[in-house]
Structure formats: structure tokens, C-alpha cells
Amino acid sequence: MLKVMIVEDEDIVRDEIKHLIDWEYHGFALIAEARNGREGLRLFEEQNPDIIISDIKMPVLGGLEMTAGILGRQKNKKIILLTAFGDFDFAREAIKLGIHSYVLKHELDSEILVEELNKAKQQIEQEESAGYLARKEHLRMFLKRAAS
């Protein structure tokens, strides 16, 4: 199961996201939730989630700043940013940071959430598979040289 964290300053929205899908049924474990980016960074360090669903605009530390902090530490994390704003500047900055996806809050429903989570899951699996194959090939070459 992939671990998911929600970072959202509005309690009602965070609660809605938590109850939007059956997390375990879809192969995810909802492991943490935070009210702002600073709390999100702290929980990220403690819990090491695979996927982070976060609002962009939050008090204390916003989603873009939190994303920069997370991806600066671990590039393989998948971040789904949510916003109530259709402002392209936010989207452009998010894309530069390397987020997985960008979703408007008013469009988020169970189908879209599952679709975005599954895309992130597929990408994680592909990256892990590529890493495994690269390590296997490296070991094969090492053993071949050692045998020579």
C-alpha cells in the first residue's frame, strides 16, 4: 500500500477529501494530515508518505513552498496540488517544481481523486521497476568484470 498525506488548512475540505474514497480498497493508506505546509514538512519527515495531496494557499507555509522543501529532499515523491484558483502562475510554478498533478478544488470528486492517485501509483511503480532493472544490470556487469 502506498502511503498518502493530506495537507489542507480548511478542516471541512480536509475532512471531505478523507471521506471521498475508500483508501484501502484502492490500495492506499491515509497516514497523516496537516493544517499547513510547516506541519506538512514535519509530518513528511516523520511519516515518509509516497503521495502528498496539498492545498496551494495556506497560512504559515504554503503548498508551493512545502513542495519545494519535499522535492528538494526526495525527488521521487508524488505531489497532487489542489487550488481554488485557476491562476496559471500557480500552475506554472507548480510544474517547475516537478509536481505530479494540479487539480482545481471545485472539480475534485471521487473519480478524479482515484484517477490521480492511480496515475501517481503507476509512476511510482515504473520508477521502482526501472531502478530495480538498473541495479540488476549494474550487478551483472560487476560480476562479469569480477569473473574476468
Side-chain angles (χ1 to χ4, degrees):
M1 277 208 188
L2 292 177
K3 300 181 293 183
V4 179
M5 176 174 72
I6 298 171
V7 184
E8 166 62 58
D9 61 313
E10 295 181 46
D11 294 341
I12 293 171
V13 175
R14 194 173 57 255
D15 198 50
E16 184 179 319
I17 295 168
K18 281 179 9 187
H19 295 96
L20 204 51
I21 64 169
D22 182 342
W23 295 90
E24 287 187 27
Y25 174 80
H26 292 287
F28 301 95
L30 188 55
I31 61 160
E33 50 185 281
R35 290 195 167 108
N36 61 61
R38 183 178 299 149
E39 192 176 314
L41 279 174
R42 182 181 58 75
L43 287 171
F44 171 77
E45 293 294 330
E46 291 173 11
Q47 303 290 328
N48 193 29
D50 302 296
I51 301 170
I52 299 95
I53 300 169
S54 178
D55 190 8
I56 285 184
K57 286 204 141 215
M58 295 180 286
V60 184
L61 186 69
L64 290 175
E65 295 83 5
M66 181 192 71
T67 295
I70 289 171
L71 295 178
R73 291 177 177 96
Q74 295 187 40
K75 295 266 186 234
N76 64 331
K77 299 304 175 179
K78 303 302 170 221
I79 300 178
I80 299 169
L81 286 178
L82 305 175
T83 185
F85 307 96
D87 188 335
F88 185 70
D89 288 336
F90 283 122
R92 182 176 29 235
E93 184 63 29
I95 290 166
K96 281 183 194 176
L97 289 171
I99 63 148
H100 174 71
S101 60
Y102 184 88
V103 179
L104 295 175
K105 280 185 185 180
H106 68 273
E107 293 179 350
L108 186 65
D109 60 17
S110 60
E111 186 178 318
I112 289 173
L113 181 57
V114 168
E115 181 181 322
E116 293 301 328
L117 288 167
N118 282 332
K119 281 195 257 180
K121 182 180 192 177
Q122 184 177 32
Q123 194 172 13
I124 289 168
E125 289 169 352
Q126 288 171 347
E127 289 168 2
E128 287 175 352
S129 178
Y132 169 76
L133 293 174
R135 287 188 301 276
K136 187 176 174 182
E137 178 62 16
H138 180 71
L139 179 59
R140 187 185 71 73
M141 295 301 289
F142 174 77
L143 292 173
K144 184 178 177 181
R145 280 192 301 257
S148 304

